[in-house]
Amino acid sequence: MLSSVPQTDTITIKYNRKKNIFYSDKVVPYIFVLPFIISFLTFYLYSIISTIMMSFQTISGLNDVEFVGLKNYMNLNNPHFFNALTVSAKYTFFTLLVLIPLPMLLAVVLNSKMTIGRNFFRSTLFIPALTSVIVAGIFFRYSFGEQETTLANAIIKSFGIGPIVWLQSKSTAIFILVVLATWRWLGVNIVYFLSGLQGISSELYESAEIDGANTIDKFFKITIPCLKPVIIYVVTISVYAGFAMFAESFAYWRSTPPGDIGLTLVGYIYQEGFNNNDLGFASAIGITLLAIVFVLNLIQLTLFGFFKKESD
Amino acid sequence: MKRTLCVIMAAVLFFSIALTGCGSAPKQPANQAQSSNSAQQETQQKKEELKKTTQFSFWTFQALHQQFIDDAVASWNKTNENKPIAIKTDVYPYDEMHNKLLIALQSGTGAPDIVDIEISKYSNYLKGKNPALVPLNKIVEPELDKMIKARFDNYAKDGKYYGIDYHVGAAVMYYNKEILDKAGVNADDIKTWSDYVAAGKKVAAAAGVPMTTIEVTDQWTFHPMISQQGSDYLDKDGNPILDNEINIKTLQFLKDMIYTDKIAIPTPGGHHHTEEYYAFMNKGGAASVLMPIWYMGRFVQYMPDLKGKIIVRPLPKWKDDGFRSAGMGGTGTSITVQCKNVDLAMEFLNFAKLSKEGAKKTWTVLGFDPIRWDVWEDPEMKADNKYTDYFGKGIFDMLMQIKDEINSINVGEKFPAAAAAVKKDVMFKALKEQSLTPEQSLKATAEELRKK
């Protein structure tokens, strides 16, 4: 009898140890975040490190790699890079200018219980986000064709303006890119702002009404301050998305816009890396782009006071 | 209560649909069982045949080329019953295919056995010490004396031929005879470029349409015109000569045609492969267009209203003893080093593209001018097809006249970059945007190419 007692004890201990791994507060969190860590290490960290290394090399083929120091970065000093930078910056600026106030206003309208058919409009405005930019881009590409009969030229003709060659001029290029971006991303930003609006307590508005505030006062004094976290988020992702834009430009001009009129930084990476088979130089552009977006986002977040402590 | 009913109904519906496919097969009568036995034997045989059949994969960016290869595989299997092959073709968009191939070759896995590579991308794949393509000298060299050799030099490096083209791509002038007649111009009287400009003025005055359209976002107007004069983007050693005197003069000539003589306009849509241009030209928008002979297919396919109105003539000359054509464009079919049966693939390519029969097929199936000139006078080439229906007969008689008036082009390592720069910068800035003069535009791009 006595001898059997320790035996059962060891079994329970072993069992408990096994159980302990899955019930341990220290180990389990790591197991749960493991899938993310693995995908982060393989698809992000590894790629970034490998890109940084490639940006110092000339790559001519499999196992045919030569270290060239800063040459790729020196080559960035060329008009195409600065054209691409200008286009990306202009595009980001104009998308911010349109895609923050417009969806915010629409979200306020759609959030109001007085609006008729608001669920219908919410879903129709969101649908473009579900389509492929390339597919929609083909539609836009033909709408902005240069014949008199294309959609865009037919519309401006009714205002008495002559047909415009949309796809071959610097000023119209940014315009048509922003039109496509607005059509596509408006719905997504509305959803962000709607979720923000629904978090604002109705008591605030009620007490403001009692104090005699009108609609405009309420919008600027209550709605916008309460939406600040959402605005910060939307601006951050818009800056990133603006600089990372590629598909819209590709839809209009494929990979080589004439005279760089719609060439973005990512488009330039594509051109150099794949069209010209210069992956080293393309990596250098990529790392520079990463640095630009990083710095811009830091500046913007600091200006918004994102890094200040809650208590300040 | 109602809800439970709904759930039950839905479940019944679901299972009745899901189980329809599960019905047991009806038992077969004895004789049918026998026939199914022989059918089994047949499939067994087929499987064995399939084992013997060598499978190849083929990538291209041009759906027409797939038709050509399928046709060649069918005739190969008829004449070579002991070594049948099967080719699985994937047609990708132009950029996508070239990029996919580049990555597959660089990473050493995933490339097809046989692949079509376009000429202005080709030298990207010959970079480095060991190109990932197989030299084809074994099949090319025995036939080279019957070929337009310039078309093989485009895909060669260090004396090794890596690709086989589909066509010569002789640049020609397509005239709209209806418009010329209206202006009282005879296309055969246009011998030089100054004749051409003079005729253009007549056309502009009488018919009220431009003589021609000039590509401002592509190279098919500029490149043939400089190639006619023996100039190019690069010299024999691959150094940029884009800003030499001939090129500057030629670009100035193009600009003058548009803005001084007013006989030409920038192509609607930028180049001759846009929907805008097809619609414009189809309505009789311009009296002529300079494009290679492979552009015939675009007329047939996209400009049906011009059937019977278009005549094909050699290009005007620059000097009395000047050349009347240029070899433009091209696609080299190559075998990658990842191919599992290189010898058989080579034999097939020899059969499909280098042989006499293959050369004839490039005309009958594709409407291209074959790289093998000894078939140009063959009676089979005179037979009617959709191209003779559209353009009339005698296309090859005209080609025979100009066969020795084609300069080769220099395809060095910088050719992809040079061609891309001409397409997107040089032409656009000098002719459309006019932000730079022709000289400045060419100089700026040439400098940039030298730095690379």
Side-chain angles (χ1 to χ4, degrees):
Chain A
M1 270 306 277
L2 265 173
S3 65
S4 73
V5 173
Q7 231 178 4
T8 40
D9 260 10
T10 39
I11 288 169
T12 21
I13 288 166
K14 263 185 195 166
Y15 178 72
N16 278 343
R17 255 188 212 150
K18 250 190 200 167
K19 215 176 162 187
N20 274 349
I21 293 177
F22 289 101
Y23 282 85
S24 135
D25 290 345
K26 278 182 189 161
V27 181
V28 164
Y30 293 102
I31 294 176
F32 283 145
V33 296
L34 198 62
F36 166 76
I37 301 270
I38 290 173
S39 69
F40 173 78
L41 289 178
T42 43
F43 295 115
Y44 290 88
L45 198 65
Y46 168 73
S47 330
I48 289 174
I49 292 171
S50 151
T51 310
I52 291 175
M53 272 158 55
M54 279 163 72
S55 71
F56 295 105
Q57 294 168 335
T58 292
I59 295 151
S60 328
L62 187 62
N63 301 328
D64 193 353
V65 171
E66 188 194 346
F67 182 79
V68 290
L70 285 172
K71 186 184 158 214
N72 287 329
Y73 287 96
M74 313 274 260
N75 283 349
L76 285 179
N77 186 13
N78 76 57
H80 302 294
F81 176 74
F82 291 110
N83 279 343
L85 191 60
T86 322
V87 169
S88 283
K90 272 189 191 165
Y91 171 82
T92 310
F93 175 76
F94 284 109
T95 44
L96 284 177
L97 205 65
V98 176
L99 279 174
I100 303 292
L102 189 62
M104 204 189 321
L105 273 176
L106 285 172
V108 170
V109 173
L110 289 177
N111 197 38
S112 150
K113 293 201 173 68
M114 317 253 282
T115 312
I116 303 159
R118 60 198 183 117
N119 281 333
F120 171 75
F121 285 114
R122 277 184 197 179
S123 40
T124 44
L125 284 168
F126 190 73
I127 283 175
L130 302 175
T131 53
S132 141
V133 194
I134 297 301
V135 174
I138 291 171
F139 169 77
F140 276 82
R141 155 76 184 81
Y142 291 130
S143 307
F144 286 109
E146 64 189 71
Q147 299 112 307
E148 273 179 45
T149 46
T150 58
L151 182 63
N153 277 338
I155 291 172
I156 60 166
K157 199 182 173 188
S158 60
F159 294 102
I161 308 168
I164 292 179
V165 183
W166 299 94
L167 291 157
Q168 290 183 39
S169 138
K170 269 190 182 133
S171 47
T172 50
I174 298 288
F175 174 76
I176 59 176
L177 285 172
V178 174
V179 167
L180 178 50
T182 308
W183 174 82
R184 186 163 151 80
W185 295 116
L186 190 66
V188 179
N189 285 4
I190 287 177
V191 169
Y192 289 138
F193 285 119
L194 268 179
S195 68
L197 285 175
Q198 272 150 18
I200 302 174
S201 154
S202 57
E203 286 161 15
L204 286 174
Y205 291 107
E206 278 161 21
S207 61
E209 259 167 50
I210 293 164
D211 290 342
N214 61 23
T215 318
I216 295 168
D217 285 335
K218 279 191 282 179
F219 180 72
F220 283 104
K221 301 270 166 62
I222 299 175
T223 311
I224 290 191
C226 289
L227 280 180
K228 195 177 147 193
V230 181
I231 297 174
I232 293 179
Y233 176 70
V234 173
V235 170
T236 313
I237 59 164
S238 299
V239 168
Y240 161 72
F243 276 92
M245 187 272 277
F246 168 69
E248 281 87 346
S249 165
F250 190 82
Y252 281 126
W253 296 281
R254 313 302 296 171
S255 58
T256 47
D260 296 344
I261 54 171
L263 181 71
T264 65
L265 281 170
V266 180
Y268 191 41
I269 295 179
Y270 185 92
Q271 248 183 36
E272 290 296 337
F274 300 124
N275 289 358
N276 296 348
N277 189 14
D278 194 349
L279 288 173
F281 185 43
S283 304
I285 308 168
I287 295 300
T288 315
L289 171 63
L290 184 74
I292 292 172
V293 175
F294 188 67
V295 169
L296 276 179
N297 273 339
L298 275 185
I299 294 173
Q300 165 244 329
L301 290 174
T302 320
L303 287 180
F304 272 118
F306 184 76
F307 297 114
K308 280 186 196 159
K309 280 183 189 153
E310 284 293 312
S311 54
D312 287 352
Chain B
M1 197 52 212
K2 220 175 171 186
R3 186 180 282 178
T4 338
L5 196 71
C6 267
V7 171
I8 291 171
M9 293 287 277
V12 168
L13 196 67
F14 173 76
F15 280 109
S16 63
I17 291 170
L19 295 177
T20 344
C22 295
S24 63
K27 278 181 187 159
Q28 292 165 336
N31 58 341
Q32 266 191 17
Q34 243 174 6
S35 79
S36 87
N37 245 353
S38 67
Q40 262 179 1
Q41 274 174 353
E42 234 171 71
T43 49
Q44 193 67 30
Q45 263 181 351
K46 267 187 191 164
K47 267 185 192 166
E48 268 168 35
E49 265 174 37
L50 261 181
K51 263 184 210 163
K52 268 190 267 166
T53 308
T54 314
Q55 299 277 338
F56 288 118
S57 54
F58 171 59
W59 287 2
T60 183
F61 54 91
Q62 179 44 275
L64 270 175
H65 296 175
Q66 178 179 13
Q67 282 177 28
F68 176 79
I69 291 291
D70 287 348
D71 184 272
V73 170
S75 7
W76 166 274
N77 286 342
K78 261 183 221 156
T79 44
N80 297 283
E81 276 174 351
N82 55 336
K83 37 186 174 181
I85 61 167
I87 290 189
K88 189 186 166 293
T89 308
D90 287 308
V91 183
Y92 294 103
Y94 178 80
D95 268 333
E96 199 183 317
M97 193 218 84
H98 287 98
N99 298 342
K100 223 172 137 79
L101 180 68
L102 203 65
I103 293 166
L105 291 178
Q106 280 196 342
S107 57
T109 171
D113 301 304
I114 305 171
V115 67
D116 270 353
I117 305 174
E118 208 261 344
I119 187 167
S120 54
K121 297 273 186 186
Y122 207 89
S123 56
N124 276 343
Y125 302 87
L126 297 183
K127 271 187 187 172
K129 284 162 271 174
N130 316 306
L133 304 173
V134 177
L136 304 173
N137 290 36
K138 206 169 85 185
I139 55 170
V140 169
E141 272 165 359
E143 308 280 352
L144 208 54
D145 56 331
K146 295 167 213 95
M147 304 280 171
I148 307 266
K149 188 172 169 289
R151 301 307 290 175
F152 287 87
D153 296 338
N154 293 337
Y155 312 106
K157 190 185 178 187
D158 304 330
K160 288 177 185 156
Y161 300 106
Y162 290 98
I164 304 171
D165 211 325
Y166 286 86
H167 57 67
V168 177
V172 292
M173 192 67 85
Y174 297 88
Y175 292 101
N176 185 329
K177 193 162 181 302
E178 203 180 48
I179 298 177
L180 292 192
D181 287 346
K182 219 185 270 177
V185 172
N186 181 356
D188 292 312
D189 293 342
I190 301 175
K191 301 280 183 208
T192 63
W193 279 106
S194 53
D195 295 344
Y196 184 83
V197 173
K201 284 179 181 160
K202 275 192 204 165
V203 167
V209 294
M211 182 66 172
T212 190
T213 47
I214 291 169
E215 289 198 325
V216 290
T217 59
D218 211 335
Q219 55 180 346
W220 306 122
T221 315
F222 180 65
H223 201 194
M225 285 171 96
I226 61 168
S227 177
Q228 264 190 302
Q229 306 170 74
S231 179
D232 207 338
Y233 301 159
L234 311 173
D235 67 10
K236 289 244 166 337
D237 306 317
N239 302 312
I241 50 161
L242 197 57
D243 52 350
N244 70 11
E245 208 174 313
I246 296 175
N247 295 357
I248 293 173
K249 261 191 191 161
T250 309
L251 191 54
Q252 185 64 49
F253 178 79
L254 286 174
K255 190 177 177 184
D256 289 344
M257 279 215 283
I258 302 177
Y259 298 103
T260 314
D261 304 323
K262 297 202 176 0
I263 62 157
I265 56 165
T267 306
H271 58 92
H272 293 137
H273 288 97
T274 60
E275 288 68 18
E276 284 97 334
Y277 175 72
Y278 295 143
F280 165 87
M281 192 64 181
N282 194 34
K283 280 189 293 189
S288 66
V289 61
L290 191 179
M291 281 306 273
I293 201 85
W294 46 254
Y295 196 70
M296 283 198 297
R298 273 62 160 197
F299 272 106
V300 174
Q301 214 169 347
Y302 302 120
M303 295 172 257
D305 295 352
L306 296 178
K307 186 173 178 179
K309 295 179 191 167
I310 299 290
I311 51 172
V312 187
R313 292 290 178 273
L315 297 184
K317 302 178 204 179
W318 289 98
K319 286 181 289 185
D320 286 338
D321 57 344
F323 281 6
R324 289 177 294 167
S325 188
M328 286 292 123
T331 298
T333 309
S334 301
I335 300 172
T336 69
V337 287
Q338 293 175 32
C339 177
K340 279 139 285 178
N341 194 339
V342 171
D343 289 332
L344 189 59
M346 269 210 225
E347 256 182 82
F348 170 71
L349 276 193
N350 190 16
F351 172 86
K353 300 192 74 177
L354 292 170
S355 70
K356 248 186 162 172
E357 288 312 306
K360 283 178 201 162
K361 285 277 172 64
T362 50
W363 163 247
T364 52
V365 179
L366 298 170
F368 293 165
D369 43 350
I371 44 173
R372 191 174 170 126
W373 51 262
D374 68 342
V375 300
W376 287 9
E377 279 175 296
D378 199 282
E380 266 183 61
M381 309 298 276
K382 298 222 164 72
D384 289 346
N385 64 13
K386 56 182 175 182
Y387 301 103
T388 54
D389 285 353
Y390 193 103
F391 297 96
K393 296 182 181 199
I395 295 167
F396 279 93
D397 296 334
M398 192 269 306
L399 283 178
M400 280 309 279
Q401 293 173 30
I402 56 173
K403 123 174 146 47
D404 297 320
E405 300 185 25
I406 291 172
N407 283 318
S408 61
I409 56 170
N410 298 319
V411 190
E413 200 164 282
K414 286 180 177 172
F415 187 67
V422 169
K423 288 179 192 177
K424 70 184 179 65
D425 292 328
V426 176
M427 305 305 289
F428 186 74
K429 285 176 183 160
L431 299 180
K432 177 78 188 178
E433 221 179 40
Q434 294 184 70
S435 56
L436 298 174
T437 67
E439 187 174 353
Q440 288 168 337
S441 180
L442 286 164
K443 284 231 152 91
T445 301
E447 273 317 307
E448 201 185 307
L449 287 170
R450 280 187 195 108
K451 268 191 223 158
K452 279 204 172 177

